[in-house]
Amino acid sequence: MSAFMSAFASLVGALADLLQPLFQHASTAAAIVLFTALVRLAVHPLSRAAARGQKARTKLQPQIAELRRKHSRNPDRMQKALMELHAKEKVSPLSGCLPSLLQMPAFFLLYHLFSSQRIGGDPNSLLGHELFGAPLGERWHHALSEGGPFGPQGLVYLGLFVIVAAVATFNYGRTKRQMAANPMTPATGPDGQPVPGMGAMTKVMPLMSFLTLVSVAYVPLAAALYIVTSTTWTALERAYLYRETPAAEAAVAPAV
C-alpha cells in the first residue's frame, strides 16, 4: 500500500510540475482539479450508458405501473414480471450507480494522501502545498483558527461553499421540476405494497446535493477540491446527457 501511495503522490507531483508554469504556487491544487477531470472523463462512457438506461427505464414506467396493478395480489409474480421486462428491454436497474462507485477509489486515494503525515516512510511534502495560502492538507476548522471565516484561508473555503451552493441550487431546481412533471411509479416491496419511507425519500432527494457543503467543510482541502470539481462536472454532464428527455434524470440520485 505504501508503494502504491508513493506512486500516486508522484503522479500528483508530476501533474503539479506540469502545471507550475501556468499556476505557480497553486499548481498542486490545479493538479488535483486536473486529476479529478481525468477521472470523470474516464467514467464518462459509463455515465452516458447510465443516462441511456435511465431514459429507457423512464419509458418503461407505464408498463411497470400496469404490471404492478395486474399482479398486485401476487408479489412473487410481480417481481418476476418486472425482472423479465427489464431483461427483455436490456435495462439494468443498477446501471446508474456504476459511475459513482468507480469514482470512490480515486476520492479515497486523494483523501488518504492528504491526510497522511508520511508516505513511503518519508515526510509528505504535499501537505505544505497551498491554494491562495490555505494548506491542501488542512481542513475548514484550521482555516477558521487562522483568521476566521473571512481571513485569507477562510475566503478559500467560502469560495468553495459558494460554488457548491450554486451547483446544489441548480440541481435542486432541475430535480424538483422533473419530479413534478414526471412522477415516477412508487417502488414496492415483495408484498406489492409501497416501500415505507420512499415518499419521504422522494421529498428529500432534491436536497441531497446540499450535503456536499458538509463534506467540503470536513475533509482536507485537497479532497474538497475533488468534491467540488466532481460535483460541478456531474451537474454539467447531466444537463447535457439528459437535455433531450430531462424527465429521466428525476429518478437519478445526486452523485459526486
Side-chain angles (χ1 to χ4, degrees):
M1 180 64 179
S2 60
F4 187 76
M5 288 304 302
S6 295
F8 182 60
S10 297
L11 172 62
V12 174
L15 289 176
D17 290 341
L18 180 67
L19 297 173
Q20 202 277 335
L22 291 175
F23 295 96
Q24 301 297 319
H25 297 297
S27 60
T28 303
I32 294 169
V33 173
L34 177 59
F35 169 75
T36 309
L38 291 174
V39 171
R40 293 309 307 260
L41 193 61
V43 301
H44 180 69
L46 290 176
S47 298
R48 294 182 68 90
R52 289 194 297 269
Q54 187 56 50
K55 291 175 183 178
R57 287 193 294 274
T58 300
K59 292 179 181 179
L60 293 180
Q61 287 302 304
Q63 298 178 61
I64 291 174
E66 176 59 24
L67 288 175
R68 286 176 173 165
R69 184 196 64 77
K70 181 178 179 180
H71 302 295
S72 59
R73 298 182 181 275
N74 190 340
D76 292 338
R77 177 60 186 139
M78 179 183 68
Q79 292 299 324
K80 182 179 180 181
L82 290 174
M83 292 176 63
E84 290 173 349
L85 176 63
H86 282 97
K88 177 184 177 182
E89 300 296 332
K90 298 180 179 179
V91 173
S92 171
L94 301 178
S95 61
C97 301
L98 287 177
S100 296
L101 290 175
L102 291 179
Q103 292 174 64
M104 291 179 66
F107 169 76
F108 284 117
L109 267 177
L110 198 63
Y111 180 91
H112 183 67
L113 178 62
F114 283 89
S115 298
S116 302
Q117 294 297 320
R118 304 183 73 85
I119 297 294
D122 298 321
N124 186 357
S125 61
L126 291 174
L127 296 180
H129 293 207
E130 300 178 342
L131 173 62
F132 303 126
L136 296 176
E138 295 189 356
R139 295 166 168 80
W140 186 41
H141 69 269
H142 295 118
L144 293 179
S145 65
E146 293 292 335
F150 299 106
Q153 296 185 28
L155 288 176
V156 172
Y157 281 90
L158 183 61
L160 296 182
F161 292 149
V162 168
I163 295 173
V164 170
V167 172
T169 302
F170 174 76
N171 288 335
Y172 176 82
R174 282 177 58 84
T175 305
K176 287 287 288 185
R177 290 193 299 270
Q178 291 153 6
M179 294 178 70
N182 295 269
M184 303 296 291
T185 302
T188 58
D191 58 355
Q193 298 300 315
V195 176
M198 284 304 295
M201 180 63 71
T202 301
K203 295 179 180 179
V204 170
M205 188 183 296
L207 299 172
M208 294 296 287
S209 293
F210 290 97
L211 292 179
T212 307
L213 289 165
V214 179
S215 300
V216 169
Y218 178 77
V219 301
L221 179 55
L225 287 174
Y226 182 99
I227 292 173
V228 173
T229 304
S230 185
T231 301
T232 305
W233 181 294
T234 297
L236 297 176
E237 184 178 64
R238 287 181 176 172
Y240 172 75
L241 292 178
Y242 294 91
R243 66 193 185 284
E244 296 177 356
T245 54
E249 191 184 359
V252 181
V256 170

